[in-house]
Amino acid sequence: MVEPLVRLDKITKVFGDGPTAFQALRGIDLAVEGGDFVAIMGASGSGKSTAMNILGCLDTPTSGRYFFKGVEVQALTRDQRALLRRRYIGFVFQGFNLLPRMSALENVELPLIYRGEPAARRKSFAMAALAQVGLEPWASHKSNELSGGQQQRVAIARAIVTRPQMLLADEPTGNLDSETSFEIMRLLRELNRGLAVTVIMITHEAEMAAFASSVVRLRDGLVEQRELAS
Amino acid sequence: MNNVSLRRDRHVLFLAIRQIYRHRTRSLLTVLGVVIGVFSVITMVTLGNGATEAVRASISALGSDLLTIRPGQSAGPGGGSGGGPFDLADVEAIRGQIGGVVVVAGQAQTAGVAVRNAQSWSTTITGTTNEFFRAQRLTIGAGREFTHEEEEAGKRVCIIGATIVANLFQNTDPIGQVFRVRGISCEVVGVLEERGQNGFGGDLDDTIIMPLKAVQRQLTGNHDIGAIAVGVDPTFNSAAIQAAIVALLRERRNLDPTQDDDFSVLDAKQIADTISGTVGILTLLVGAVAGISLLVGGIGIMNIMLVSVTERTREIGTRLAIGALGDEVLLQFLVEAVVLSCLGGLVGMVIALIICITAAPLIGVPFLFDAQINFLSFFFSAAIGIGFGYFPARRAAGLNPIEALRYD
Ligand SMILES: Nc1ncnc2c1ncn2[C@@H]1O[C@H](COP(=O)(O)OP(=O)(O)OP(=O)(O)O)[C@@H](O)[C@H]1O
Ligand SMILES: [Mg+2]
């Protein structure tokens, strides 16, 4: 059997302890093949972001096993997980998490700095990524001076600038009008089809989920259903 | 490890420099906190040391063959407490009964305003004998000393310092001129050679010297002698003479063996030590005040650093999330803290030294570079800056990225 790109095996996540402990994930099993485009849907609070953070190696599960490219992530050190994020994963946060005071361009350049790219390459890659999300004219604006939708697109540009093998996007169109949303979805599909980037995306909108090849539905911390997109 | 490659890329130090520029206000305030702390400590301690040295130098110049006897037990300026004054019989007893004594000059001092034409000048008047000039190594620059007859009769004549010449006589020749002091008139017979400032800012030329009997009769109205200057033969043992004088005066003042001396006999070197000891304590106090300002500066730095912890923690979370290693993030924050703190320390040191070099001659003290206090204050502020910049960052870098991003 060929190993999928990511495989979650009975993943649970408990926040807090004692009487206030809350079990956000109750045993998630999920496999995503390289090159897939998966949409994750589910009610608010169903554990979508929690699962996504674990997939992105940003958070550790309470129990269960997570394999990335066949490597068990819990067995890695903190630094190895950071290097794994740096090399293979692009992440679009639900809350963007851009650095204020920095221009859009500098924000997009940031992952390239940690990859040790020389300045000239950083700049041209970052400009190209900004162009892909239609923000070239805003490159030199401070990120805290941009609108919510613009910030979201900067966050997307930052996630794709490294040409990651896997792109994780937590509601990437949550703040965008439908026209821009479709543009972003077409961009994700292009990355997925043209460059074989594996895309896992959380969304509330069926129209956006329609771009994916399969949809995973979460409910109360469990995978309720997995279906091929219509 | 399968086809997963986890290679470490090169470090990125220049991030820290960009960070400093990006947070200009925060950086400036941090630097300012260090500058103020370092500057105040170095300035105060350096000038204090200079003052101590100036006092010591000017008193040591008096030589160790001069003994000063005062009532009470303190030798500092202003005299001591306890113990009544001396009288002429004490002076004569010392002259007659102690071997190795060359000159003995009793002094009666009082303060008063000297007036001539429209000029007036407030000063001190010392009543004494010609021996005083010998004991204190004073030279008459113009005119003459008192005559024997003037001393015996308590004539109203005086020998004045350069400051009096300047203020009462506008630097014209005062010899033979008359002025009034505390209601009596007085003829100038001599002028002291100019001596300048003493170590604690006093003007040695601001003095009027009259025959002892003139001051006692016309001004103080009693026979008290407030201080006795004794010049000793340098071939004699000064300590033995001191002991002999102490024994003599104890007897004359009827002190029984259980009682402490109610007077003091000190040579110039001992006075120098006592006074520079006092100035040394002042320097210590000033240093303590400066230390407090260093601490306040430090707390300022601390506040700025702690206030930005939330912002920094989020930033660290973001950097970690996009693949920065904990060490890389830490290094960046450490470099930022080190650069700011050391910059502040250096600027503070340079400003302090410039101020000290300029101010020292103005207030009449030597400039003494104190390497210890420079390094101490520099390292203290730098340590605060680095500590409070680094430790919150270290904590943040130890969180997992999600925790750091959620921090508030
Ligand atoms: N750090 C945390 N501490 C405590 N509880 C948490 C924490 N993070 C998430 N939770 C809880 O876990 C549950 C799942 O949260 P999660 O963010 O995964 O939901 P979600 O499906 O992404 O919702 P939304 O669509 O609103 O983003 C929620 O009930 C939330 O309150
Ligand atoms: Mg969410």
Side-chain angles (χ1 to χ4, degrees):
Chain A
M1 180 189 112
V2 143
E3 181 71 27
L5 180 67
V6 299
R7 185 156 63 84
L8 298 182
D9 184 10
K10 297 192 189 61
I11 292 286
T12 70
K13 179 72 183 177
V14 179
F15 289 111
D17 47 16
T20 58
F22 179 81
Q23 186 157 21
L25 300 180
R26 301 166 179 275
I28 301 261
D29 291 312
L30 181 70
V32 177
E33 303 292 335
D36 262 4
F37 189 154
V38 179
I40 297 179
M41 300 187 76
S44 182
S46 56
K48 303 184 296 293
S49 295
T50 306
M52 185 77 106
N53 290 339
I54 290 170
L55 282 172
C57 304
L58 296 170
D59 211 350
T60 45
T62 307
S63 70
R65 290 157 38 111
Y66 170 29
F67 297 91
F68 181 84
K69 293 185 128 196
V71 174
E72 184 163 4
V73 173
Q74 286 98 301
L76 301 178
T77 63
R78 261 173 66 80
D79 280 356
Q80 286 175 319
R81 277 189 303 238
L83 292 169
L84 196 148
R85 291 196 291 276
R86 178 189 292 186
R87 298 246 134 243
Y88 301 105
I89 301 175
F91 207 104
V92 184
F93 294 93
Q94 193 166 12
F96 322 142
N97 290 322
L98 301 178
L99 295 188
R101 293 173 213 266
M102 280 197 187
S103 68
L105 181 68
E106 287 170 316
N107 265 287
V108 178
E109 276 186 56
L110 207 57
L112 298 173
I113 288 178
Y114 289 111
R115 283 190 166 206
E117 296 285 356
R121 276 164 64 92
R122 279 204 313 264
K123 184 148 189 203
S124 69
F125 285 0
M127 284 308 289
L130 281 172
Q132 279 184 298
V133 296
L135 270 188
E136 231 175 345
W138 301 89
S140 57
H141 283 67
K142 292 271 167 60
S143 66
N144 49 339
E145 292 163 1
L146 298 176
S147 74
Q150 288 168 330
Q151 290 187 31
Q152 184 144 41
R153 284 188 279 163
V154 175
I156 293 167
R158 184 178 66 186
I160 63 176
V161 73
T162 56
R163 294 273 169 265
Q165 279 197 14
M166 177 167 81
L167 180 66
L168 304 174
D170 198 342
E171 297 194 37
T173 58
N175 290 275
L176 304 179
D177 57 86
S178 62
E179 194 173 326
T180 322
S181 296
F182 280 115
E183 248 169 61
I184 294 294
M185 293 319 298
R186 278 193 286 274
L187 171 63
L188 294 187
R189 186 166 61 191
E190 196 181 301
L191 289 169
N192 174 250
R193 292 193 180 156
L195 297 164
V197 176
T198 308
V199 179
I200 304 177
M201 170 188 77
I202 294 174
T203 183
H204 281 120
E205 296 158 273
E207 287 170 300
M208 303 304 149
F211 281 82
S213 48
S214 66
V215 177
V216 173
R217 284 185 194 280
L218 294 192
R219 186 193 174 103
D220 295 335
L222 282 170
V223 178
E224 182 188 43
Q225 186 184 27
R226 176 158 188 179
E227 66 207 312
L228 288 182
S230 42
Chain B
M1 197 184 268
N2 279 17
N3 53 343
V4 177
S5 103
L6 300 178
R7 192 170 58 79
R8 225 178 133 117
D9 290 308
R10 68 192 164 90
H11 285 301
V12 273
L13 279 179
F14 82 101
L15 281 177
I17 310 299
R18 291 217 319 211
Q19 187 84 345
I20 290 172
Y21 177 70
R22 210 165 266 134
H23 300 268
R24 284 179 285 281
T25 318
R26 186 169 90 193
S27 304
L28 198 74
L29 288 173
T30 310
V31 171
L32 208 65
V34 183
V35 167
I36 290 171
V38 169
F39 161 78
S40 47
V41 173
I42 295 180
T43 309
M44 294 197 202
V45 173
T46 302
L47 293 181
N49 285 346
T52 314
E53 184 49 36
V55 170
R56 186 186 301 279
S58 74
I59 298 180
S60 308
L62 293 175
S64 62
D65 49 359
L66 168 68
L67 300 179
T68 303
I69 307 170
R70 288 177 190 277
Q73 263 304 314
S74 158
S81 55
F86 308 107
D87 59 21
L88 212 51
D90 293 322
V91 173
E92 293 312 319
I94 292 169
R95 193 197 311 282
Q97 297 175 33
I98 309 285
V101 165
V102 183
V103 289
V104 182
Q107 299 150 55
Q109 278 198 333
T110 183
V113 179
V115 183
R116 179 178 169 270
N117 298 341
Q119 317 299 325
S120 72
W121 184 252
S122 170
T123 185
T124 57
I125 303 118
T126 303
T128 186
T129 59
N130 284 333
E131 282 171 288
F132 181 71
F133 304 119
R134 238 76 72 223
Q136 298 278 7
R137 294 184 183 166
L138 298 176
T139 320
I140 308 293
R144 55 168 176 81
E145 294 186 351
F146 303 126
T147 63
H148 185 67
E149 193 227 335
E150 282 165 351
E151 288 194 332
E152 284 308 306
K155 284 267 177 64
R156 298 168 182 182
V157 291
C158 59
I159 295 169
I160 59 178
T163 303
I164 308 294
V165 178
N167 287 288
L168 284 193
F169 296 94
Q170 274 72 46
N171 292 322
T172 59
D173 180 13
I175 306 288
Q177 303 285 321
V178 175
F179 65 92
R180 296 179 73 78
V181 57
R182 294 242 316 245
I184 64 164
S185 62
C186 185
E187 183 192 341
V188 180
V189 296
V191 176
L192 292 171
E193 212 158 70
E194 195 163 338
R195 284 194 301 166
Q197 306 255 310
N198 72 6
F200 22 93
D203 179 359
L204 293 168
D205 299 314
D206 187 5
T207 184
I208 296 174
I209 298 170
M210 291 171 74
L212 177 63
K213 285 179 180 162
V215 170
Q216 286 179 335
R217 281 184 203 148
Q218 313 280 345
L219 297 179
T220 62
N222 57 39
H223 290 98
D224 293 349
I225 286 187
I228 305 172
V230 178
V232 302
D233 185 334
T235 60
F236 278 69
N237 179 346
S238 160
I241 294 178
Q242 277 184 51
I245 293 175
V246 167
L248 174 69
L249 288 175
R250 283 186 67 88
E251 192 188 318
R252 294 185 58 82
R253 291 161 85 88
N254 294 320
L255 297 178
D256 66 51
T258 62
Q259 284 174 291
D260 290 332
D261 295 348
D262 61 354
F263 59 91
S264 60
V265 183
L266 296 176
D267 69 23
K269 193 176 164 303
Q270 289 167 319
I271 295 177
D273 287 346
T274 316
I275 294 179
S276 54
T278 316
V279 179
I281 290 169
L282 277 178
T283 308
L284 218 68
L285 262 171
V286 166
V289 171
I292 291 170
S293 44
L294 190 61
L295 205 68
V296 171
I299 291 170
I301 301 168
M302 205 170 85
N303 274 338
I304 295 156
M305 293 293 191
L306 291 182
V307 162
S308 57
V309 159
T310 306
E311 187 186 339
R312 280 167 185 240
T313 304
R314 293 228 174 96
E315 174 177 340
I316 288 171
T318 304
R319 289 178 185 274
L320 291 173
I322 62 174
L325 302 178
D327 285 352
E328 288 172 333
V329 172
L330 255 190
L331 190 68
Q332 173 194 334
F333 279 78
L334 181 65
V335 169
E336 181 188 347
V338 168
V339 167
L340 289 181
S341 304
C342 292
L343 185 74
L346 282 178
V347 170
M349 240 153 88
V350 169
I351 295 181
L353 293 181
I354 289 175
I355 296 269
C356 287
I357 290 172
T358 344
L362 295 181
I363 60 173
V365 304
F367 167 74
L368 297 175
F369 180 76
D370 186 337
Q372 206 180 336
I373 203 68
N374 276 273
F375 283 116
L376 202 73
S377 53
F378 179 87
F379 281 118
F380 181 74
S381 336
I384 290 179
I386 293 167
F388 284 92
Y390 178 71
F391 286 106
R394 193 177 76 164
R395 202 185 44 78
L399 297 173
N400 82 38
I402 288 298
E403 282 165 351
L405 285 169
R406 281 174 167 269
Y407 185 88
D408 51 19

